[in-house]
Amino acid sequence: MRFDLESLQVLVSVIEEGSLAAASERQHIVPSAISRRIAELESDAGTALLYRHSRGVEPTPAGSALYYRAKRLIDQMQEISSEMSEYAQGVRGHVRMHVNFSTMVQYLPGDLSSFLSINPDVKIDLMEKSSSQVLRSVEAGTADIGICSQPEAAPGLEVRPYHVDRLVLIVPHDHPIGAARHLRFADTLDYDYVSMPLGASISTLCAQSAEQAGKQHKIRIQVTSFEGLRNMVAAGLGIGLLPKASVKPYLRNSTLRMVELDETWAQRPLSVITRGYAALPVPARLLIDHLVSQASAEN
């Protein structure tokens, strides 16, 4: 026994309208085609589905049973169609996103919150990775979107500006270099450092700059968060480098001092990285547009 959806829609219209002629107008099908569809359904069902009389038609018990089943099926198909349309328009969907630590803790919370308030049915799988890992994830296709500092972006990746991280030195309030307004990084290397983990982009920049200066980057303590680094420096356990945006809110009524770095590498552009914008699902493109526009408005 087989029933096609169009014939079931015809049956529903005929029963709800009470006549083949009215169903013909509703379905925009000629009456003879309506009659043929009903006859085919009755043949497939092996029983009459309609009582025919001078005033129109009424469903038989079998017709009523099939009507309620067909009505439920048609409603479900309309729900499916509506839901798929929402996916196609980007109202629903799934985005895989890998970002570096600086992006994760500073800029992304507010931007994702505003995006999801507009697109509540988009699911975002977010992972924090080092900048080099972010690039590899996007290149390999395991992430739809990456955000990181991208000095070695692979050929073929698309790069869009996001925010700019300005790295600054933070020191205890009574530290010998705390009174300085500007310093070269090499002038700080006689002191112990509190550092982010090895492999983090800030740690890599410090190690490379120390090597170029012919000095050792003396790491006394390694921490895994900006908060941990600030707390260790405030306790007098060393000095450290952090993005300016993660330091300024904590300077008031604080035992910390902030010193600008006279280094070109201290200004780190953060970028939105993709393999190909046009090939991405609609939700991912909507998120990229939102991130870039939010950053543009703030910068």
Side-chain angles (χ1 to χ4, degrees):
M1 189 177 297
R2 55 181 178 80
F3 300 106
D4 67 89
L5 187 61
E6 290 185 7
S7 294
L8 292 176
Q9 288 174 322
V10 166
L11 176 68
V12 168
S13 294
V14 168
I15 291 175
E16 289 182 347
E17 297 295 334
S19 77
L20 273 63
S24 171
E25 293 182 7
R26 173 170 160 178
Q27 293 292 122
H28 304 290
I29 301 175
V30 296
S32 59
I34 294 286
S35 180
R36 185 172 61 254
R37 291 273 188 177
I38 296 299
E40 290 172 351
L41 279 176
E42 290 180 322
S43 175
D44 288 338
T47 186
L49 300 174
L50 298 174
Y51 293 124
R52 295 160 175 85
H53 48 71
S54 59
R55 298 185 306 278
V57 296
E58 293 179 2
T60 65
S64 292
L66 184 56
Y67 165 80
Y68 288 113
R69 296 282 187 179
K71 182 70 172 174
R72 188 183 310 164
L73 176 61
I74 291 167
D75 289 343
Q76 289 174 341
M77 292 300 296
Q78 288 175 341
E79 290 175 5
I80 291 171
S81 177
S82 176
E83 186 171 337
M84 290 301 102
S85 176
E86 288 180 346
Y87 278 106
Q89 296 170 18
V91 178
R92 293 181 182 228
H94 175 215
V95 182
R96 302 165 303 164
M97 193 173 187
H98 294 180
V99 304
N100 68 355
F101 183 77
S102 185
T103 300
M104 177 77 85
V105 301
Q106 291 187 101
Y107 307 113
L108 211 51
D111 288 348
L112 288 185
S113 177
S114 57
F115 175 78
L116 291 174
S117 69
I118 304 169
N119 303 278
D121 290 322
V122 173
K123 178 184 177 183
I124 299 175
D125 286 345
L126 180 62
M127 294 186 66
E128 180 229 320
K129 294 180 176 288
S130 69
S131 287
S132 59
Q133 289 173 326
V134 170
L135 288 175
R136 288 197 295 270
S137 296
V138 175
E139 188 178 18
T142 55
D144 302 309
I145 302 171
I147 303 180
C148 61
S149 58
Q150 43 81 35
E152 300 175 358
L157 295 183
E158 296 180 6
V159 178
R160 289 171 174 77
Y162 189 45
H163 287 277
V164 176
D165 255 357
R166 176 72 186 181
L167 296 179
V168 295
L169 189 72
I170 59 170
V171 302
H173 70 99
D174 56 353
H175 197 275
I177 62 175
R181 297 186 62 185
H182 301 269
L183 279 176
R184 298 298 303 271
F185 181 70
D187 297 331
T188 72
L189 291 174
D190 292 332
Y191 302 99
D192 288 335
Y193 262 81
V194 180
S195 172
M196 296 297 289
L198 294 177
S201 56
I202 295 177
S203 297
T204 301
L205 285 171
C206 290
Q208 291 172 344
S209 187
E211 184 178 356
Q212 290 170 2
K215 294 186 176 183
Q216 182 184 3
H217 185 216
K218 297 188 292 185
I219 299 174
R220 185 179 185 186
I221 300 173
Q222 284 188 358
V223 296
T224 58
S225 69
F226 289 175
E227 180 183 13
L229 197 150
R230 288 192 303 265
N231 290 342
M232 291 295 179
V233 172
L237 299 176
I239 63 177
L241 256 63
L242 282 179
K244 191 172 185 176
S246 71
V247 175
K248 285 186 69 176
Y250 300 91
L251 293 178
R252 184 176 298 178
N253 301 323
S254 171
T255 59
L256 294 173
R257 296 287 184 270
M258 182 177 75
V259 180
E260 300 282 352
L261 273 179
D262 286 332
E263 304 289 349
T264 55
W265 53 261
Q267 185 162 300
R268 304 188 308 157
L270 298 174
S271 301
V272 178
I273 314 293
T274 60
R275 282 200 301 175
Y277 176 89
L280 289 172
V282 174
R285 299 202 302 268
L286 288 175
L287 178 54
I288 290 169
D289 294 343
H290 182 82
L291 294 172
V292 172
S293 65
Q294 289 291 105
S296 177
E298 294 173 17
N299 292 335

